[in-house]
Amino acid sequence: MRTIRAIAASVWMGWQRDLEWTNPLLSLGVKAIAPAAAVLSASIVYWYGSSFVGRFSPERLAYIVVGASLYAQIATYAYVPTAAISEGKWTNVYPQVCITPTSSIPYLAGRCLASFTASVPIVIVSLVVSYYVSGMLFGLSPVLIVSSSSVSMFAVALLASIPAVLGLGYLLGSYSIFVSRFEWALPSYISGVLMIFSEALFPATVLPWPLSLFSEALPFTYFMRASRAALIYGSISAYAVSMSYALLGGLLFLAVGLVAFRWAEKRGREKGLIDRKVG
């Protein structure tokens, strides 16, 4: 119960930081601009290249729109633990959180969940904007299945991505404990890697071995597949298989992230890195 209260308090704090700097609806609207623009950019690149060779496909466009929208969400809230630790060192919030050894993990989990809940409307806005703008620009909209069952399956897939993203966040947070300069850079690099290996824009089969094997081992890949199975293909069997792998891989990712973070935090306490602001 204490852990749940700590996570809830951290979620509230995350909402205050992310949304309360202005009107919450305006804040969400501003945050949606960059992801929506990124999705449209990827769509235009595909349209231009495929139209040049005469192979434009609305289904492939939907593949790119869904993947790019979800990639933007993952990249956004996987970065939160790094930002929370980095900013917390400068504002003395994180050292206060670390006064008790069991406080930091619920704190970072709550911040991630706050970012997740704020990013879901952004994903929806990106999908809706891309759907209608693509129709106006290309004359053909992405082929998306919008029904109560497909939306429910998609919502469950979003929830299933949380363990994997939390695990990635704890791994990146482990790095942030040891450094105090340019700690923002590593999450940016990891986001670029995920764009290539998570099937955000193209299937893993186009990658040479063993890179394709690495892509197949990531839980984010199966999250993308489950979402597409719900919104594009309408395949319950493919959805169930992808969800199983996404959940199992996500839980493994979370376990590894927790072990790494606990070790990093222990070393940080021993070496006085928690209070260090300049590395």
Side-chain angles (χ1 to χ4, degrees), residues 7-17 110 114:
I7 291 176
S10 181
V11 169
W12 180 254
M13 178 180 178
W15 285 338
Q16 294 291 315
R17 180 199 176 279

Side-chain angles (χ1 to χ4, degrees), residues 142-193:
V143 179
L144 297 176
I145 301 173
V146 181
S147 65
S148 58
S149 59
S150 66
V151 171
S152 299
M153 291 163 64
F154 178 58
V156 173
L158 286 174
L159 293 174
S161 72
I162 292 177
V165 179
L166 276 177
L168 178 60
Y170 284 128
L171 286 171
L172 297 176
S174 303
Y175 167 79
S176 298
I177 290 177
F178 291 101
V179 298
S180 297
R181 286 182 177 176
F182 304 113
E183 57 268 38
W184 49 265
L186 182 62
S188 301
Y189 303 150
I190 298 299
S191 296
V193 170

Side-chain angles (χ1 to χ4, degrees), residues 70 73-74 157-158 161 219-227 242 246:
L70 295 177
Q73 186 210 27
I74 291 173
L158 286 174
S161 72
F220 307 103
T221 300
Y222 296 98
F223 161 60
M224 294 286 186
R225 291 179 181 176
S227 299
S242 296

Side-chain angles (χ1 to χ4, degrees), residues 10-274:
S10 181
V11 169
W12 180 254
M13 178 180 178
W15 285 338
Q16 294 291 315
R17 180 199 176 279
D18 294 338
L19 302 177
E20 290 298 324
W21 58 274
T22 183
N23 181 281
L25 291 178
L26 176 61
S27 177
L28 286 173
V30 171
K31 288 178 178 291
I33 293 175
V39 175
L40 286 174
S41 298
S43 302
I44 291 171
V45 169
Y46 166 71
W47 168 78
Y48 183 80
S50 60
S51 298
F52 185 77
V53 297
R55 298 184 62 180
F56 179 80
S57 166
E59 185 175 284
R60 177 61 65 178
L61 177 62
Y63 183 100
I64 292 173
V65 166
V66 171
S69 299
L70 295 177
Y71 160 76
Q73 186 210 27
I74 291 173
T76 298
Y77 80 98
Y79 173 73
V80 168
T82 299
I85 293 173
S86 175
E87 294 173 0
K89 285 183 179 181
W90 283 97
T91 59
N92 289 321
V93 171
Y94 191 68
Q96 296 298 318
V97 171
C98 289
I99 288 177
T100 57
T102 59
S103 297
S104 56
I105 287 177
Y107 170 72
L108 296 178
R111 291 290 301 270
C112 270
L113 292 175
S115 183
F116 169 80
T117 55
S119 66
V120 169
I122 295 173
V123 171
I124 296 172
V125 169
S126 298
L127 288 172
V128 172
V129 169
S130 300
Y131 180 86
Y132 286 105
V133 174
S134 296
M136 290 186 291
L137 290 178
F138 314 140
L140 290 171
S141 296
V143 179
L144 297 176
I145 301 173
V146 181
S147 65
S148 58
S149 59
S150 66
V151 171
S152 299
M153 291 163 64
F154 178 58
V156 173
L158 286 174
L159 293 174
S161 72
I162 292 177
V165 179
L166 276 177
L168 178 60
Y170 284 128
L171 286 171
L172 297 176
S174 303
Y175 167 79
S176 298
I177 290 177
F178 291 101
V179 298
S180 297
R181 286 182 177 176
F182 304 113
E183 57 268 38
W184 49 265
L186 182 62
S188 301
Y189 303 150
I190 298 299
S191 296
V193 170
L194 282 179
M195 184 174 65
I196 297 173
F197 292 105
S198 68
E199 290 195 346
L201 301 178
F202 48 80
T205 52
V206 307
L207 296 171
W209 192 91
L211 298 182
S212 59
L213 185 63
F214 175 71
S215 177
E216 293 281 354
L218 291 176
F220 307 103
T221 300
Y222 296 98
F223 161 60
M224 294 286 186
R225 291 179 181 176
S227 299
R228 290 186 176 113
L231 294 178
I232 302 175
Y233 309 122
S235 173
I236 296 178
S237 59
Y239 175 82
V241 171
S242 296
M243 281 289 291
S244 299
Y245 282 114
L247 280 172
L248 290 174
L251 291 173
L252 178 61
F253 227 73
L254 177 59
V256 172
L258 286 172
V259 170
F261 184 80
R262 285 183 175 132
W263 175 84
E265 189 176 45
K266 180 181 177 182
R267 295 289 293 171
R269 291 176 185 276
E270 293 172 351
K271 293 182 175 294
L273 301 176
I274 303 296

